[in-house]
Amino acid sequence: MGRHSCCYKQKLRKGLWSPEEDEKLIKHITKYGHGCWSSVPKLAGLQRCGKSCRLRWINYLRPDLKRGTFSLEEENLIIELHAVLGNRWSQIAAKLPGRTDNEIKNLWNSSIKKKLKQKGIDPNTHQPISEVIETNHEEKGSATSKNNEKKASQGSSNELMNCVDSTAVESLSEQKMSIEKPKPKPSSVLVTNMGRYPLIENNCSNMTTTPPTSTHEFFLNRFLTSHESSNSGGSNKPTDHFQDYFSFQQLNYGPPSSSSTNTGLSMNPNASSFFNPNSNSDISTTLLNTPSTRIKPSISLPSDNSLANFDNASSNSIELQSNCTFFDNNGYIHSSGCETGDFKWNEYLQTPFLLSNNATTVHNPTAQEIYGEAVKSSGISFTAEGPLNSSATWHQNQQQVPTIQAAATELYSKHFQRLPPAFGQFS
DNA sequence: AACAGCCTCAACCGCAATCGG
DNA sequence: TCCGATTGCGGTTGAGGCTGT
């Protein structure tokens, strides 16, 4: 691992962080917030550059991190999101509460990518590998696999658009543009996939009728339509074309097999049945309806507005019911105005389901202990009412959620708001 | 036990965007 | 408008752990 140029100049430490350094950083940020990162190491007494401190905090120390292994739901969601967003890890991470872009990126590169390849799917284009290669040959034949890899982040949703008329492409481009800044789109990985998404083709005429205006809306549509279709079996609703358009069920990522692997990727490598146009069970529906993959409490969002809002897009800070803002969208602590109220920061830290409420969750006791200590010594208490206070209350809230589908609908109707740290555990 | 190869993931690098003077 | 500082992001690296021989 190299060293930042700034670290060179100042002969700063690099490499792994020691518990002592963690403690210093936690104590400092808990007490003062990070402010300007470049000044943090100096103020905290660390021989690190600000960039390194920021990274350490965001990726490892901030208390709303979930840590532990990814659940099947999370993996499937990552795959879905990657199909839409490409390698925009920060945007994907924004949809996975308690997960960092780095974590997701690592998971993708070390695990999911491999699993997709094993299933005969190009992880970059989300197409069957043979067809991608074939199409690339048909095109100018200039794209190397390396290039594909590099360009995947930009092309993953473009190939989906390739099958529809230009108007539809524009409308979808707009919704895509609404959430991200487009990068130059290489054409080499685009797949002419007429027939790959038969329903897309069939519904092209509908594409311009009620295009979702944002990715939020798009996903809401998807969840709603999948929910509706799973109940009624109907497929002619106006919104169906969105489900059809991005019919990830046709990618057949799920449902997870009951085999020993934890992949959740039971894709059929057989290309002919791979994109089954008759399938009504999109991945979302699968997630919602398959008992083994039922969305678990952490994403069954109670309708309680007191829950903290992690939405990067809509909120610069997380505000609890008491209006105490204590984490911003990067998990930064802002302690101002948090002196009153009845939610104790150290209680929050000691809440069992936050720390580790299941066997698969691995938490960093050192960091948590340091937190408790840091908060005690800093005298800061954070306030909030509602379901954050105890796991018992939390479970009660779970029972209040009428159905998983309703919860998911609500989840997406909240514009993909990031879930609060208190709901950051998949049990 | 020793070694090699593989895997995971924390951390770094470099670039682009943003901000503020 | 320019320019330096700062921030954020995605790609990459490599230390350390794991597993098989």
Side-chain angles (χ1 to χ4, degrees):
Chain A
M1 283 179 277
R3 178 180 291 186
H4 291 156
S5 55
C6 57
C7 302
Y8 255 128
K9 289 174 191 169
Q10 301 167 43
K11 294 182 179 177
L12 300 176
R13 269 178 58 85
K14 65 162 189 172
L16 295 178
W17 281 63
S18 69
E20 291 76 23
E21 288 178 306
D22 283 344
E23 183 177 355
K24 283 181 181 177
L25 184 59
I26 289 168
K27 279 186 175 176
H28 175 79
I29 294 179
T30 304
K31 198 165 184 177
Y32 304 107
H34 61 78
C36 173
W37 278 113
S38 59
S39 65
V40 165
K42 191 178 177 182
L43 296 171
L46 291 163
Q47 299 295 310
R48 298 270 182 176
C49 70
K51 203 169 179 176
S52 182
C53 293
R54 175 183 162 272
L55 213 61
R56 182 64 178 170
W57 175 256
I58 289 174
N59 287 335
Y60 197 79
L61 295 177
R62 45 183 257 236
D64 59 314
L65 289 179
K66 185 183 293 179
R67 313 201 64 77
T69 52
F70 280 75
S71 67
L72 296 176
E73 291 82 1
E74 286 175 305
E75 285 196 12
N76 286 325
L77 183 56
I78 289 168
I79 294 167
E80 271 201 54
L81 291 167
H82 186 272
V84 178
L85 298 168
N87 291 1
R88 293 178 176 87
W89 306 116
S90 61
Q91 290 184 34
I92 294 173
K95 315 302 179 195
L96 284 134
R99 300 298 188 183
T100 67
D101 53 354
N102 208 30
E103 212 176 358
I104 292 168
K105 183 170 60 183
N106 282 334
L107 179 74
W108 181 266
N109 288 327
S110 68
S111 176
I112 295 179
K113 216 171 169 180
K114 210 172 297 171
K115 291 170 187 171
L116 290 176
K117 281 178 182 172
Q118 283 172 2
K119 299 291 181 181
I121 297 171
D122 182 0
N124 301 321
T125 63
H126 294 256
Q127 309 292 331
I129 288 171
S130 57
E131 294 189 25
V132 172
I133 294 170
E134 198 175 307
T135 310
N136 285 341
H137 275 291
E138 287 170 7
E139 295 186 9
K140 295 177 183 177
S142 59
T144 63
S145 60
K146 181 70 178 175
N147 283 341
N148 284 349
E149 190 124 335
K150 287 266 182 186
K151 292 165 183 175
S153 65
Q154 296 130 11
S156 60
S157 59
N158 279 22
E159 66 270 17
L160 297 177
M161 297 179 182
N162 235 16
C163 77
V164 297
D165 63 50
S166 57
T167 313
V169 168
E170 280 171 23
S171 69
L172 269 128
S173 294
E174 281 168 16
Q175 55 164 304
K176 195 166 189 285
M177 300 260 282
S178 71
I179 58 159
E180 63 200 23
K181 283 168 280 184
K183 295 179 179 177
K185 307 292 180 184
S187 61
S188 58
V189 295
L190 299 188
V191 176
T192 308
N193 55 357
M194 294 296 271
R196 170 153 305 132
Y197 297 93
L199 295 177
I200 299 171
E201 214 179 326
N202 295 340
N203 288 303
C204 279
S205 59
N206 292 336
M207 289 303 295
T208 57
T209 55
T210 54
T213 57
S214 68
T215 299
H216 298 147
E217 194 175 332
F218 155 62
F219 274 99
L220 175 58
N221 271 325
R222 284 196 53 227
F223 264 76
L224 288 173
T225 51
S226 64
H227 171 55
E228 287 166 6
S229 62
S230 69
N231 286 339
S232 65
S235 61
N236 295 323
K237 298 181 190 69
T239 50
D240 277 353
H241 57 267
F242 294 116
Q243 182 190 1
D244 297 339
Y245 194 84
F246 286 110
S247 279
F248 295 106
Q249 82 275 18
Q250 293 168 4
L251 291 170
N252 198 14
Y253 289 127
S257 67
S258 56
S259 64
S260 58
T261 61
N262 190 30
T263 66
L265 305 171
S266 58
M267 285 156 278
N268 184 349
N270 182 345
S272 62
S273 60
F274 193 81
F275 296 99
N276 178 6
N278 297 319
S279 169
N280 277 330
S281 59
D282 95 352
I283 190 168
S284 311
T285 311
T286 303
L287 285 175
L288 294 171
N289 294 331
T290 305
S292 62
T293 61
R294 197 172 293 277
I295 287 178
K296 294 175 182 176
S298 61
I299 58 172
S300 299
L301 195 68
S303 57
D304 188 336
N305 287 332
S306 68
L307 296 180
N309 175 3
F310 265 76
D311 187 358
N312 282 342
S314 62
S315 174
N316 292 326
S317 62
I318 297 160
E319 295 192 354
L320 299 178
Q321 193 173 40
S322 61
N323 293 325
C324 164
T325 302
F326 71 107
F327 283 112
D328 68 10
N329 55 343
N330 288 317
Y332 304 146
I333 292 174
H334 300 276
S335 60
S336 60
C338 295
E339 285 76 21
T340 60
D342 53 5
F343 178 73
K344 299 295 188 295
W345 174 235
N346 47 4
E347 285 179 16
Y348 166 80
L349 291 165
Q350 291 160 12
T351 302
F353 64 82
L354 273 175
L355 300 180
S356 176
N357 71 337
N358 63 73
T360 62
T361 300
V362 179
H363 76 279
N364 177 356
T366 303
Q368 301 291 354
E369 287 161 10
I370 290 170
Y371 262 113
E373 192 55 39
V375 169
K376 271 185 210 168
S377 63
S378 69
I380 296 171
S381 65
F382 299 93
T383 62
E385 293 179 356
L388 299 177
N389 287 330
S390 71
S391 56
T393 310
W394 181 73
H395 286 300
Q396 286 171 13
N397 276 291
Q398 300 317 301
Q399 293 168 2
Q400 291 166 7
V401 178
T403 65
I404 299 297
Q405 285 90 341
T409 301
E410 184 178 5
L411 169 66
Y412 282 87
S413 72
K414 284 172 179 290
H415 289 242
F416 246 133
Q417 286 177 352
R418 290 194 63 182
L419 301 175
F423 283 80
Q425 296 279 357
F426 284 83
S427 58

